[in-house]
Amino acid sequence: MLRLANVSKRFGGLSVLQDVSFEVPQGRVVGLIGPNGAGKTTVLNIITGLVAPTSGAITLDGSALTGLKPHQVTRRGVGRTFQNIRVFKEMTLLENVVVGMHAHLNYGVGGLMFSLPAFRRREHEARDKARELLSWVGLEGKAFELADNLSYGDQRKLELARALATEPRLLLLDEPVAGMNSGEKVELMKQVGQISRRGYTILLIEHDMRFVMGLCDQVAVLNFGRIIAEGPPEQIQRNPDVIEAYLGRDEDAVPGEPLGATA
């Protein structure tokens, strides 16, 4: 579904990404991992049009995404969450999710001004869909609470529901369990797995290796702006280049020792 071909990015004299190429097959969950500063979030920012690549091409179902503005990428079917939570804290959970639908809501000027039947029907449908999406992340019982009253973990779940409200075919998750406790991580892993089984294709960035290895069908590893390994989780865990990227080289290490579950 998604293909990056030789994508590079330079900020002035600093090379952040160098000839990054990988694919995200339709219906799969793919993890993009790597040490801090490897360039992972830059990859998501380039895919979603927040940052322009210096060179290379990005396609979604064969159509170019390169050069599109963020709202155009969203309309093509790409939704995302952010590393730093960006919910509207002064709004209710339901309102937050409805906001995510704005790209697909076509009320018309007359409908907005005069509250025509078509407008009221579309608004009712949007709220019903928002409640459904909140149920997917376990927040249906808090639909009318202010987002500012949520715990950190629940705010992350709300952001996921809002990303789903954009009706994406491809969902990008930037460190979805950052700051969560172990119980919240297990719960969200189950919920993301259920979302995948509903037909969504997912590309995620995450530092928690237990989450990545337990959820992803395949993993790509980024280090110093380059892809150094790709493959199924069990293969990536034992890849010596990956282990060195995370833990450094140890001349006394046992060959084939897997990457730690919480590295």
Side-chain angles (χ1 to χ4, degrees):
M1 174 177 281
L2 178 74
R3 175 176 292 173
L4 279 73
N6 303 115
V7 172
S8 297
K9 179 61 184 178
R10 298 182 66 88
F11 291 100
L14 178 63
S15 180
V16 179
L17 299 176
Q18 304 173 59
D19 294 321
V20 170
S21 298
F22 68 90
E23 297 181 356
V24 179
Q26 184 170 349
R28 310 288 277 181
V29 181
V30 176
L32 180 63
I33 68 171
N36 286 328
K40 303 182 297 299
T41 294
T42 300
V43 170
L44 294 199
N45 288 341
I46 287 176
I47 293 170
T48 54
L50 290 172
V51 174
T54 304
S55 60
I58 305 165
T59 57
L60 181 71
D61 288 332
S63 298
L65 292 183
T66 314
L68 297 182
K69 297 182 183 300
H71 72 276
Q72 294 172 320
V73 175
T74 299
R75 286 175 177 162
R76 292 286 181 92
V78 180
R80 74 169 291 181
T81 65
F82 290 86
Q83 185 175 344
N84 298 317
I85 295 173
R86 300 187 179 187
V87 299
F88 299 109
K89 295 186 177 182
E90 73 282 0
M91 292 183 178
T92 66
L93 277 63
L94 190 71
E95 291 167 338
N96 264 274
V97 178
V98 170
V99 164
M101 301 177 187
H102 80 278
H104 302 285
L105 293 175
N106 184 16
Y107 296 126
V109 175
L112 285 169
M113 291 180 63
F114 303 110
S115 188
L116 298 176
F119 165 81
R120 294 195 298 272
R121 182 176 64 254
R122 193 71 182 93
E123 188 76 2
H124 182 74
E125 291 170 352
R127 288 177 174 272
D128 284 347
K129 182 61 178 179
R131 290 188 185 93
E132 179 185 3
L133 295 176
L134 287 171
S135 74
W136 289 9
V137 297
L139 295 176
E140 66 273 23
K142 301 180 179 181
F144 298 101
E145 291 187 21
L146 290 179
D148 195 32
N149 296 334
L150 293 179
S151 67
Y152 181 85
D154 280 351
Q155 286 187 26
R156 284 207 166 275
K157 292 178 182 179
L158 173 59
E159 191 171 47
L160 174 55
R162 192 178 59 190
L164 289 166
T166 67
E167 300 182 11
R169 289 176 291 135
L170 172 66
L171 183 61
L172 310 180
L173 306 180
D174 193 349
E175 297 196 27
V177 297
M180 288 187 172
N181 60 43
S182 58
E184 290 172 329
K185 290 178 181 179
V186 171
E187 183 180 3
L188 189 63
M189 183 189 295
K190 292 178 181 177
Q191 291 164 346
V192 173
Q194 290 168 350
I195 290 168
S196 172
R197 288 189 289 274
R198 287 183 169 101
Y200 292 85
T201 303
I202 298 173
L203 171 62
L204 64 87
I205 291 172
E206 186 50 62
H207 285 288
D208 189 299
M209 291 298 102
R210 190 182 301 277
F211 185 87
V212 171
M213 301 304 173
L215 184 62
C216 294
D217 301 301
Q218 66 185 63
V219 179
V221 186
L222 195 64
N223 191 35
F224 292 112
R226 293 183 179 274
I227 297 291
I228 62 171
E230 289 184 80
E234 60 273 11
Q235 176 182 320
I236 293 298
Q237 277 185 298
R238 295 185 175 275
N239 185 299
D241 292 334
V242 177
I243 294 170
E244 181 180 346
Y246 272 92
L247 305 177
R249 184 180 298 277
D250 184 353
E251 301 299 336
D252 297 324
V254 178
E257 185 73 15
L259 184 67
T262 58

